[in-house]
Amino acid sequence: MRTNGLHPWQLDDWQRLRAYLEQDRIPQALLLTGQAGLGKRQLAECYARALLCHARTPDGQACGECQGCRLSAAHTHPDYVLVESDEPGKAIGIDRIRQLIAQLSLKPQSQACRVVIVSPADQLNTASANAFLKCLEEPGERTCFVLISATPSRLPATIRSRCQTWLCRQPDSQVLATWLKQGGFTGSIAALLRLCGGSPIQARHYAEQGIIEVHQSCFADWFGIAKGKRDVVTIAENWSKLEQPSASELMAWLIEWLVDLVKLKTAVEREPRDADYENALQDLCPRLELPRLHRYYDQALNARQLLTTQVNKQLLFEQLLIGWLQLHTR
């Protein structure tokens, strides 16, 4: 079977979508959900290309050769509409939905249907979500929508109720292991997936970009500060200049380390990690007081929220790491 941009764990999902195509029972609106990093956007685009293709292959995928496919490949198909924010992480504003409404007022230019992909749909703000709801209620001729969201609970219930929800599941561990090894990864797949929160696409990115080594280095810095062997200002400056991982990802690592410390202090059952990591946590625990650790954890959560603003990252990391040093000072 041709994959046509699909990941190997998406073949079962494709077979279900293929059934819609073969039976000519195209849902007006699909909501693709599931954890971030599963390739929902790739699945949606493969589905859109197939809908716009004039001569699909026997397995239901786009042929790649017809006029519709050529236009899709060039990102110039008049009946393919992508709705996304102007900047990653920003809201999809009302102006973009007004543009969509104007597009939908016209008939599709091809004999196939028109496909509208909204990604990620949970970035619709209140005004744009209300306007988009009218698109779902009055979609226009031969128009289908594909909404993509890792957090569908952030979508208004009025929008979710008008969509057929489709849960994209985690890949089989063996399929994922094979895929990562094909990308050249030779380390611990379990450790890599823990670092990435189970996201296969982010796991491969981390493996290819050497982020695992960066993670180990940042943990060594964090541990060194606690032992009085690292300079807080220098570490904060280095962390603020990292391009990979992002500041928010680095903050997530720090919070995860704190959670593991709290669980260790309270004897909560947890999945053990590699020996060096476990030994370091065991070394830190005796000098830490649980109430102060809880307060520092709250401070870290607040710092993560501030990263969504125009805060000075270096100063933020400095304050956080000074607080971390003080936890080990009596």
Side-chain angles (χ1 to χ4, degrees):
M1 176 179 176
R2 298 166 65 247
T3 58
N4 204 11
L6 293 174
H7 297 296
W9 60 85
Q10 295 179 316
L11 299 185
D12 287 343
D13 282 319
W14 178 253
Q15 293 300 339
R16 295 166 61 196
L17 288 173
R18 174 185 174 183
Y20 289 147
L21 298 170
E22 291 179 344
Q23 298 167 15
D24 197 23
R25 298 179 60 185
I26 309 301
Q28 178 191 309
L30 272 177
L31 173 58
L32 298 183
T33 69
Q35 178 181 331
L38 290 178
K40 296 184 293 296
R41 176 76 170 261
Q42 289 93 324
L43 183 62
E45 289 177 348
C46 185
Y47 180 57
R49 288 194 297 270
L51 285 168
L52 297 171
C53 177
H54 300 159
R56 289 193 290 265
T57 65
D59 60 16
Q61 297 195 44
C63 70
E65 299 175 359
C66 69
Q67 182 184 18
C69 287
R70 289 196 298 270
L71 290 171
S72 296
H75 304 288
T76 57
H77 201 297
D79 293 330
Y80 172 84
V81 184
L82 175 62
V83 178
E84 58 183 352
S85 58
D86 294 331
E87 298 179 37
K90 300 293 184 180
I92 299 173
I94 183 66
D95 289 343
R96 181 65 189 92
I97 302 304
R98 285 173 178 157
Q99 293 173 9
L100 173 64
I101 292 172
Q103 289 174 282
L104 298 184
S105 67
L106 304 174
K107 291 184 178 181
Q109 295 186 33
S110 67
Q111 294 302 311
C113 65
R114 172 167 45 204
V115 187
V116 179
I117 293 181
V118 185
S119 176
D122 50 72
Q123 286 186 339
L124 292 164
N125 60 29
T126 302
S128 57
N130 288 336
F132 181 70
L133 179 60
K134 296 180 181 178
C135 296
L136 292 178
E137 292 173 339
E138 302 173 8
E141 185 177 333
R142 290 182 286 121
T143 298
C144 66
F145 299 88
V146 182
L147 285 69
I148 302 170
S149 175
T151 53
S153 60
R154 294 175 56 185
L155 280 168
T158 48
I159 288 181
R160 295 199 308 270
S161 66
R162 286 168 171 78
C163 299
Q164 179 173 325
T165 301
W166 187 298
L167 176 62
C168 299
R169 294 180 173 82
Q170 283 284 105
D172 175 85
S173 57
Q174 189 57 49
V175 171
L176 183 53
T178 300
W179 183 69
L180 289 171
K181 289 176 181 176
Q182 288 172 346
F185 182 67
T186 57
S188 168
I189 290 175
L192 176 62
L193 290 175
R194 276 199 302 269
L195 181 59
C196 301
S199 164
I201 294 177
Q202 189 173 29
R204 194 170 209 180
H205 169 72
Y206 272 22
E208 292 171 346
Q209 299 298 319
I211 306 299
I212 300 173
E213 290 76 13
V214 177
H215 177 268
Q216 293 170 342
S217 175
C218 290
F219 181 79
D221 289 338
W222 187 71
F223 179 77
I225 288 172
K227 306 301 287 186
K229 297 179 180 180
R230 292 284 201 283
D231 177 65
V232 167
V233 175
T234 301
I235 297 304
E237 182 180 3
N238 292 341
W239 283 12
S240 68
K241 292 180 179 178
L242 286 173
E243 295 183 2
Q244 296 283 351
S246 66
S248 60
E249 287 174 311
L250 179 51
M251 192 68 74
W253 293 352
L254 191 151
I255 290 171
E256 181 185 21
W257 301 335
L258 292 174
V259 168
D260 279 344
L261 275 174
V262 170
K263 288 181 177 179
L264 197 59
K265 288 286 290 186
T266 54
V268 172
E269 185 177 351
R270 47 183 282 274
E271 184 181 357
R273 311 293 179 83
D274 64 82
D276 289 343
Y277 180 79
E278 293 295 328
N279 290 338
L281 294 187
Q282 292 285 356
D283 191 1
L284 294 174
C285 266
R287 293 179 59 84
L288 290 171
E289 299 174 359
L290 195 57
R292 294 180 67 193
L293 186 58
H294 279 145
R295 288 195 293 272
Y296 182 72
Y297 173 73
D298 290 339
Q299 181 185 347
L301 292 180
N302 290 333
R304 181 168 64 179
Q305 286 295 108
L306 287 173
L307 283 175
T308 62
T309 68
Q310 297 298 317
V311 67
N312 184 305
K313 291 188 292 185
Q314 181 174 339
L315 290 178
L316 184 67
F317 280 130
E318 276 186 24
Q319 293 172 359
L320 201 56
L321 293 177
I322 288 171
W324 172 240
L325 177 62
Q326 291 172 343
L327 277 183
H328 302 270
T329 305
R330 293 180 179 176

